[in-house]
Amino acid sequence: MFRPLSEMLSRWAADGIDTTSFHAGVENAKRRYAGYGLTKMLPLDRVLVGCESSRVGAFGGFHHPDQGYRHLQMVAVITMYGPMERRNPECPELALLDLLRAYAHDCLHYGSRRRYVEVAGMPVRTQYGINYRRTTGQPYSAVDQRGSHHTRNLGIVMEGACDREARSITRQTAERSGVAEPSDLLGALAFRDVTGTLTEEDAGRAAGVVGSEEKTRYAAALSGYEKGVNRRYAHFLEEFAPGEEVECHTHLLAAIISGDVTALGAWLDERHGPGTFTGLFRTPGYFNPGLTA
């Protein structure tokens, strides 16, 4: 069962759950995102939250399969953290933090510059943020090699930038609201995940999560996302902006919202020489005719 986020928050509040932390986090996100050029947040009614599942053992949250932002429909589809065979979350404080992380994350996807062209009567996205794709399907940057600790893929860079920002907002909210880390293993990992405080050892701890098949799968997805997205983005910042990670991250988010890499490119060129952005990301065959992804 999916319901608009606005309705879910009202239902939870009516049932006695304090949703203040979520609303405070959203106000913080609005202020921060305005600094990157994002003036309109994703409307709450365009965020569908899944809960009250009839599936035995259903378990939701940020790493639930197929959760995320649908760019053509301009709708975010997310799930309530924890067991979903119920009306309200099992751990409301953590569920609200998870919800905030997902919403703050998808607001950046919603606000990212996009460009579409018509191909054979169908809309084809040729630009998303600072990432590009030809109408033939040829992507601007190549997929990272399996197991790589680094990234040269714009999709990973943008996803990592959006999630770093969303987790920073969630971490501040948790600190200001006094939300404590849960004592159970999966709850502790989920708390560290939403607040961006996972350690290298936590990825291994995820393999020790026991319970339903969906819980163990969720823990594995959490660990995989940390390694494949957030760690790679952190390494990217360390590589190309040592000591200036925050400034580089800020330039990246502003470029993602505007779709203009001029300022970001100039910033990178000052530190690494002319043509750094193109040299880092563009595949040699991007302009070759007839290629497909």
Side-chain angles (χ1 to χ4, degrees), residues 125-162:
R125 190 177 66 186
T126 57
Q127 179 182 1
Y128 165 50
I130 55 174
N131 201 2
Y132 312 93
R133 184 179 296 272
R134 296 187 63 200
T135 56
T136 57
Q138 174 70 16
Y140 189 85
S141 57
V143 175
D144 293 324
Q145 292 184 355
R146 186 177 180 84
S148 172
H149 295 295
H150 305 271
T151 186
R152 298 294 182 268
N153 181 271
L154 279 170
I156 296 295
V157 168
M158 292 201 308
E159 179 72 3
C162 291

Side-chain angles (χ1 to χ4, degrees), residues 18 25 150 195 223 285 293:
D18 185 359
H150 305 271
T195 56
S223 177

Side-chain angles (χ1 to χ4, degrees), residues 20 28-29 31 34 58 66 113 118 127 192 210 213 227 249 289:
T20 304
N28 185 24
R31 290 190 294 270
D66 299 323
R113 177 80 166 102
E118 183 180 333
Q127 179 182 1
R192 295 182 185 184
V210 296
E213 179 183 348
K227 293 177 183 177
H249 172 71

Side-chain angles (χ1 to χ4, degrees), residues 18-82:
D18 185 359
T19 61
T20 304
S21 62
F22 178 85
H23 294 292
V26 170
E27 289 304 312
N28 185 24
K30 285 180 181 178
R31 290 190 294 270
R32 288 175 59 151
Y33 290 1
Y36 303 126
L38 179 59
T39 58
K40 184 179 180 182
M41 300 286 278
L42 176 60
L44 296 182
D45 288 343
R46 300 200 69 79
V47 181
L48 302 179
V49 184
C51 66
E52 297 185 72
S53 175
S54 60
R55 191 175 66 255
V56 176
F59 193 91
F62 184 82
H63 300 287
H64 186 75
D66 299 323
Q67 174 167 315
Y69 183 70
R70 272 62 172 169
H71 68 96
L72 277 179
Q73 296 86 356
M74 298 178 71
V75 169
V77 180
I78 62 181
T79 51
M80 177 182 76
Y81 175 79

Side-chain angles (χ1 to χ4, degrees), residues 8 12 15 17 51 80-84 86-96:
M8 287 296 301
W12 291 351
D15 288 344
I17 295 175
C51 66
M80 177 182 76
Y81 175 79
M84 292 194 293
R86 52 194 299 154
R87 172 188 172 100
N88 292 328
E90 183 178 69
C91 182
E93 289 184 327
L94 181 53
L96 284 164

Side-chain angles (χ1 to χ4, degrees), residues 230-272:
N230 286 310
R231 292 291 176 190
R232 288 184 186 179
Y233 180 61
H235 289 152
F236 173 81
L237 293 178
E238 291 165 2
E239 274 188 285
F240 295 98
E244 298 180 287
E245 290 91 345
V246 172
E247 188 175 353
C248 184
H249 172 71
T250 299
H251 279 293
L252 272 163
L253 281 176
I256 289 168
I257 298 302
S258 69
D260 186 352
V261 299
T262 304
L264 171 63
W267 192 89
L268 290 170
D269 287 353
E270 285 179 5
R271 287 149 182 80
H272 305 288

